[in-house]
């Protein structure tokens, strides 16, 4: 999902927040997982109490896989990106499991480029300037990524262009 | 110009590897759904051939074509192939295709695990079918694998146990994928109580699978250790009890029946509302009814074991708890009927199969109520009445619902309308022959004919002959089904996005908002849920 907020002044500029769509919060996921564990281990316990202990390791293994699956799916929540466009610079803050990283580009000399999808690989959107580049919107859907590319072209312009921020549609 | 660029990007985005590598390495939910459906159709034909061997042998009394040992292998393998290879994978295939489209997700939550679970199932069935060629033949103790009989299986025993483990692992991974997809990948605005009933029925089915599969895995592992490692879980000589295995098996086996039938409930709900041009009557009641049936399925298992011997209190409990299932099931049948009431009904093939389901599944439900009464069950147990009962639940129940689903969603999958005339012929042939096949088995059972026998007393001859004619008629009808699918896959009239007529005051589900055939990547942008 792409969330956009315009800053109070030109110095603060325009902030675009990129967040993945998750319909489950970590707290809900934990509650959901716990409820499934209670049912599964209650059933396994019932059989263990009658001496049929081999049911238990299978229940444990299954719950471990379910827990991992929920974790893997929820891990997407942690991956967000904030793109802040001011008169002078474009700042990209990427947050993921490895922490937060910030990259900055001079707005006047930067451009947003969309590398088209090829085969199994989705399209890639990059901001680049002076031989450096930074991928953005990797967590978005194709349509959202194309929309973001179009928006950034309006806001950043091409190389050697700095359209007025307040003139950019939606700013 | 900009528009053209955009269109070109779109076309490029739909690009995908071609040839065999597409099917071996794909993680796309539609490709995997197609693979599951094709696999289940192949297993349906193989399991059907086994059924025809059984019915050919039973066409008249005496031993005609096969020896009793092979006959027992056929009854066992027919059940295992149909339950684990045909019906379950078909519903998993439908789930793969339709759940992401119905909840507005771009794909399943764990695409690589999705692919892995399919190939695991494929490998499991290659193993299971290979047991037919091993010394001693395939397992012949019935799909229930009761000890001590199953321990007499030849070289096939460990292979079959391994295959059951792999099938279970595949089912568990499929269920986990469905649960995580539905819980975490619904489009914004798609709350749980806005989900289509097919997705709801699968969410509850996945819960059931997760709850009972470790029990089956533990059970067959104990069989293995009893056979090879001198444990005595089920061996009375070492202090074990073979009846315990029956409890374990049916604690898994009864919910397993619901694992096959709950997705069918979801499918029929979708179809009845579409072809009645009315929203389903009592949506929330339908959800709660499915959940209640799932819960009750955990506390009825011993009704399969009345004749094994249990205290009177146990018989009373399992009789009453089984009868309780009639209440939520009645709610569902009432709501389907109420949806039809004053609807603008039309009878396209999916609706015909759904209506047949309504009548014929109810017959299976009623005979189930008869079997639930412990003193009556002493009479019916292990007779052809039981065979008739569960085949009415599973063939015109689960299998008809799957056929209805194929006819309902096939234009969405292929982009072509299928041959309606042939589909109608397929429906009438299937419905007539399925009754010719299974209805006489009620009479045979009530007259006392035991199940799982290759030969029988001459007084059972007439109805067995009728039943076998029905079996061959039903089997031949399914070749028409295969032809209709292949013909639609190759070409035909172009299907629209909506395919069926959806009235303006009853908006179609999300799957009907995307073009037909559904694009390789369905929702490139999150859809709007009203």
């Amino acid at each position: 999902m792409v969330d956009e907020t315009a800053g109070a002044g030109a110095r603060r500029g325009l902030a675009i927040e990129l967040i993945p769509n998750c319909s489950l919060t970590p707290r809900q996921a934990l509650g959901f997982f716990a409820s499934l564990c209670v049912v599964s281990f209650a059933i396994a316990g019932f059989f263990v109490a009658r001496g049929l202990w081999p049911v238990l390791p299978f229940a444990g293994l299954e719950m471990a896989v379910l827990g991992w699956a929920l974790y893997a799916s929820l891990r997407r929540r942690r991956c967000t990106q904030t793109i802040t466009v001011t008169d002078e610079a474009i700042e990209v803050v990427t947050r993921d499991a490895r922490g937060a990283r910030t990259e900055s580009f001079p707005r006047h000399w930067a451009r947003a480029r969309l590398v088209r999808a090829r085969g199994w690989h989705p399209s890639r959107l990059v901001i680049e300037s002076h031989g450096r580049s930074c991928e953005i919107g990797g967590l978005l859907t194709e349509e959202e990524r194309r929309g973001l590319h179009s928006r950034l072209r309006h806001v950043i312009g091409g190389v050697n262009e700095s359209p007025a921020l307040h003139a950019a549609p939606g700013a | 110009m900009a528009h053209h660029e955009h269109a070109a990007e779109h076309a490029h985005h739909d690009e995908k590897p071609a040839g065999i590598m597409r099917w071996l390495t794909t993680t796309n939910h539609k490709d995997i759904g197609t693979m599951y459906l094709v696999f289940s159709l192949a297993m349906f034909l193989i399991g059907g051939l086994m059924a025809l061997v059984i019915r050919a042998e039973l066409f008249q009394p005496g031993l005609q074509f096969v020896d009793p040992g092979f006959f027992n292998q056929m009854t066992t393998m027919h059940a295992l192939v149909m339950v684990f290879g045909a019906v379950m994978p078909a519903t998993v295939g439908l789930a793969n295709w339709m759940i992401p489209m119905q909840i507005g997700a771009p794909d399943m939550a764990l695409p690589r695990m999705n692919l892995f679970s399919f190939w695991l199932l494929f490998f499991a069935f290659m193993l299971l079918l290979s047991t037919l060629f091993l010394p001693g033949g395939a397992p012949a103790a019935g799909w229930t694998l009761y000890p001590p009989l199953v321990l007499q299986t030849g070289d096939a025993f460990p292979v079959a146990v391994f295959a059951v483990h792999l099938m279970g692992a595949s089912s568990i991974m499929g269920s986990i994928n469905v649960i995580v997809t539905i819980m975490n990948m619904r489009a914004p605005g798609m709350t749980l109580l806005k989900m289509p009933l097919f997705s709801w029925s699968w969410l509850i089915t996945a819960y059931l699978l997760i709850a009972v599969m470790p029990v089956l895995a533990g059970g067959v592992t104990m069989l293995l250790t009893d056979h090879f490692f001198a444990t005595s879980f089920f061996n009375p000589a070492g202090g074990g009890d073979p009846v315990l295995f029956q409890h374990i098996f049916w604690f898994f086996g009864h919910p397993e029946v619901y694992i096959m039938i709950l997705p069918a409930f979801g499918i029929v709900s979708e179809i009845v509302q579409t072809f009645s041009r009315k929203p389903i009557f009592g949506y929330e009641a339908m959800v709660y009814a499915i959940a209640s049936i799932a819960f009750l399925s955990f506390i009825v298992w011993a009704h399969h074991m009345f004749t094994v011997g249990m205290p009177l209190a146990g018989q009373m409990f399992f009789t009453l708890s089984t009868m309780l299932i009639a209440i939520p099931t009645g709610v569902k049948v009432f709501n389907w009927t109420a949806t039809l009431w004053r609807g603008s009904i039309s009878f396209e093939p999916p609706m015909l199969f759904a209506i047949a389901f309504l009548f014929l599944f109810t017959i299976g439900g009623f005979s189930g109520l008869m079997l639930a009464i412990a003193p009556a069950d002493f009479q019916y147990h292990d007779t052809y009445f039981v065979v008739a009962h569960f085949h009415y639940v599973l063939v015109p129940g689960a299998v008809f619902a799957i056929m209805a689903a194929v006819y309902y969603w096939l234009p969405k999958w292929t982009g072509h309308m299928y041959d309606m005339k042939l589909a109608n012929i397929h429906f009438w042939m299937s419905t007539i022959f399925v009754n010719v096949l299974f209805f006489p088995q009620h009479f045979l059972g009530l007259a006392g004919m035991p199940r799982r026998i290759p030969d029988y007393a001459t007084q059972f001859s007439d109805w067995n002959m009728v039943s076998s004619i029905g079996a061959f008629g039903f089997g031949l009808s399914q070749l028409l089904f295969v032809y209709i699918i292949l013909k639609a896959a190759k070409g035909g009239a172009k299907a629209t996005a909506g395919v069926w007529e959806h009235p303006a005051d009853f908006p179609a589900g999300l799957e009907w908002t995307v073009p037909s055939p559904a694009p390789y990547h369905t929702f490139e942008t999150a859809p709007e849920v009203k």
Side-chain angles (χ1 to χ4, degrees):
Chain A
M1 287 194 298
V2 183
D3 212 4
E4 186 174 317
T5 48
R11 181 69 194 85
R12 222 182 117 206
L14 183 78
I16 300 173
E17 186 84 21
L18 310 180
I19 44 176
N21 171 39
C22 288
S23 44
L24 202 61
T25 65
R27 182 182 285 270
Q28 286 169 334
L30 200 64
F32 173 71
F33 179 59
S35 67
L36 278 178
C37 280
V38 167
V39 174
S40 195
F41 287 118
I43 291 170
F46 172 77
F47 285 103
V48 170
R50 276 147 189 81
L52 305 170
W53 60 265
V55 175
L56 188 62
F58 287 106
L61 185 66
E62 185 188 66
M63 286 299 110
V65 176
L66 175 66
W68 168 82
L70 278 169
Y71 172 76
S73 183
L74 281 167
R75 201 169 43 192
R76 299 178 340 129
R77 286 184 85 84
R78 288 202 228 150
C79 307
T80 63
Q81 278 184 317
T82 307
I83 305 157
T84 310
V85 184
T86 62
D87 280 339
E88 295 81 31
I90 304 158
E91 191 180 76
V92 179
V93 182
T94 304
R95 297 172 207 87
D96 57 24
R98 288 176 291 168
R101 295 179 304 283
T102 305
E103 290 193 68
S104 198
F105 300 90
R107 180 169 167 233
H108 189 73
W109 297 106
R111 66 171 180 170
R113 188 165 65 90
L114 187 70
V115 183
R116 292 194 314 179
R118 294 177 73 85
W120 291 114
H121 304 286
S123 64
R124 296 173 68 227
L125 179 58
V126 290
I127 294 179
E128 55 192 13
S129 168
H130 293 90
R132 284 189 306 122
S133 68
C134 167
E135 183 172 354
I136 55 171
L139 48 85
L140 299 179
T141 61
E142 282 296 324
E143 187 69 27
E144 286 173 334
R145 201 176 296 118
R146 281 197 291 268
L148 179 64
H149 176 232
S150 154
R151 180 80 189 104
L152 287 175
R153 277 206 324 220
H154 277 113
V155 174
I156 302 172
V159 176
N160 203 5
E161 281 177 17
S162 294
L165 262 185
H166 58 83
Chain B
M1 182 65 189
H3 176 78
H4 286 164
E5 271 175 18
H6 193 79
E9 276 175 20
H10 242 296
H12 202 89
H13 180 61
D14 245 13
E15 195 181 281
K16 52 195 176 274
I20 188 74
M21 285 313 287
R22 170 180 173 189
W23 302 103
L24 287 175
T25 61
T26 181
T27 52
N28 184 287
H29 71 103
K30 298 185 187 78
D31 283 350
I32 296 174
T34 303
M35 292 199 295
Y36 266 112
L37 288 168
V38 170
F39 174 81
S40 84
L41 184 61
M43 288 296 143
F44 181 58
L45 297 177
I46 292 171
L49 276 177
M50 292 171 176
L52 292 184
V53 171
I54 294 167
R55 284 315 319 173
E57 182 56 52
L58 294 174
F59 186 75
Q60 57 186 33
L63 294 177
Q64 272 77 231
F65 303 109
V66 294
D67 65 79
F70 188 72
F71 183 90
N72 288 341
Q73 291 175 34
M74 285 293 101
T75 53
T76 305
M77 292 293 278
H78 163 72
L80 289 172
V81 168
M82 286 303 201
V83 169
F84 295 106
V87 177
M88 282 177 72
T91 59
V92 177
L94 293 171
N96 258 291
W97 251 102
M98 301 317 300
I99 287 176
M101 287 166 73
Q102 289 194 328
I103 65 170
D107 204 314
M108 297 294 277
L110 304 149
R112 288 189 190 92
M113 193 161 95
N114 203 12
L115 180 67
F116 183 54
S117 57
F118 170 77
W119 284 112
L120 213 53
L121 181 76
F122 181 83
F123 185 62
F125 267 89
M126 292 308 104
L127 273 182
L128 187 69
L129 293 175
S130 73
T131 60
L132 282 163
F133 308 101
L134 291 180
W143 83 291
T144 52
L145 307 171
Y146 281 178
L149 188 59
V150 75
L151 302 178
Q152 296 172 18
T153 309
D155 290 359
F157 178 67
V159 181
V161 168
F162 186 47
V164 169
H165 270 301
L166 291 181
M167 286 173 217
S170 167
S171 298
I172 286 168
M173 284 193 278
S175 309
I176 286 173
N177 226 331
V178 166
I179 285 183
V180 177
T181 304
I182 291 179
M183 296 308 290
N184 196 36
M185 295 190 66
R186 296 189 313 275
M190 175 64 77
T191 57
L192 283 174
L193 283 175
K194 279 186 183 168
M195 271 198 323
L197 281 169
F198 176 68
S199 294
W200 251 117
S201 66
W202 239 108
L203 179 63
I204 294 168
T205 302
Y207 262 81
L208 274 183
L209 267 162
I210 281 188
V212 299
M213 272 299 168
V215 179
L216 176 70
V220 294
T221 303
M222 286 181 266
L223 284 179
L224 202 70
T225 58
D226 272 10
H227 194 270
F228 291 108
F229 301 107
T231 58
S232 301
F233 289 108
F234 309 123
N235 182 3
D241 183 359
V243 173
L244 264 183
F245 181 83
Q246 299 192 20
H247 282 290
I248 285 196
F249 182 84
W250 286 113
F251 190 86
F252 150 80
H254 196 81
E256 171 65 24
V257 176
Y258 292 92
I259 285 163
M260 289 187 278
I261 204 69
L262 292 187
F265 289 169
I267 291 163
V268 169
S269 303
E270 303 266 333
I271 291 172
V272 165
Q273 64 177 355
T274 297
F275 293 96
S276 302
R277 275 90 194 170
K278 277 171 70 188
I280 195 84
F281 181 86
Y283 169 88
E284 288 188 26
M286 293 296 254
V287 173
Y288 295 132
I290 298 176
S292 308
I293 293 169
F295 169 73
L296 288 171
S297 74
F298 285 112
I299 57 168
V300 298
W301 79 91
H303 68 215
H304 296 269
M305 301 165 53
F306 283 138
T307 56
V308 172
M310 70 177 76
L312 187 62
Q315 291 179 24
M316 291 280 286
F317 174 79
F318 287 109
T319 292
L320 293 173
S321 59
T322 304
M323 287 186 155
L324 266 182
I325 296 180
I327 297 173
T329 310
V331 168
K332 299 195 75 64
V333 174
F334 176 82
N335 284 4
W336 287 323
T337 314
T339 308
L340 292 168
W341 177 250
R342 292 188 171 168
S344 303
I345 304 172
S346 60
F347 294 98
E348 284 87 348
M351 184 62 157
L352 289 173
F353 274 100
I355 300 274
F357 170 96
L358 217 77
F359 281 97
L360 301 177
F361 172 77
T362 306
I363 291 177
F366 278 135
S367 57
L369 275 177
M370 292 168 71
L371 287 161
I373 303 164
D377 183 74
F378 292 146
Q379 175 70 22
Y380 307 142
H381 188 84
D382 260 348
T383 69
Y384 256 82
F385 189 82
V386 179
V387 177
H389 155 68
F390 69 73
H391 278 99
Y392 260 91
V393 171
L394 291 179
V395 184
V399 173
F400 268 33
I402 291 164
M403 287 174 179
V406 170
Y407 283 130
Y408 186 48
W409 285 311
L410 191 62
K412 179 58 61 186
W413 302 337
T414 61
H416 303 127
M417 293 307 290
Y418 48 84
D419 190 325
M420 290 282 175
K421 195 174 168 186
L422 285 183
N424 281 327
I425 294 170
H426 172 235
F427 165 75
W428 285 110
M429 285 178 69
S430 296
T431 305
I432 290 167
F433 282 120
V434 87
N435 284 293
V436 175
L437 165 56
F438 294 119
F439 209 82
Q441 295 180 2
H442 290 110
F443 311 144
L444 289 168
L446 291 175
M449 178 172 161
R451 62 191 289 207
R452 292 175 178 149
I453 51 162
D455 189 9
Y456 49 82
T458 47
Q459 70 264 30
F460 303 130
S461 301
D462 292 346
W463 286 125
N464 265 303
M465 193 175 282
V466 172
S467 182
S468 292
I469 291 168
F472 279 87
F474 186 75
L476 285 174
S477 316
Q478 303 325 309
L479 297 180
L480 191 57
F481 182 49
V482 177
Y483 174 71
I484 293 165
I485 294 171
L486 290 177
K487 193 177 167 196
K490 269 182 94 174
K494 285 272 171 225
T496 59
V499 183
W500 312 109
E501 207 181 294
H502 300 278
D505 57 340
F506 164 39
L510 290 179
E511 75 264 38
W512 305 113
T513 63
V514 298
S516 301
Y520 200 58
H521 298 282
T522 314
F523 294 111
E524 292 180 330
T525 185
E528 189 190 346
V529 181
K530 290 175 183 135

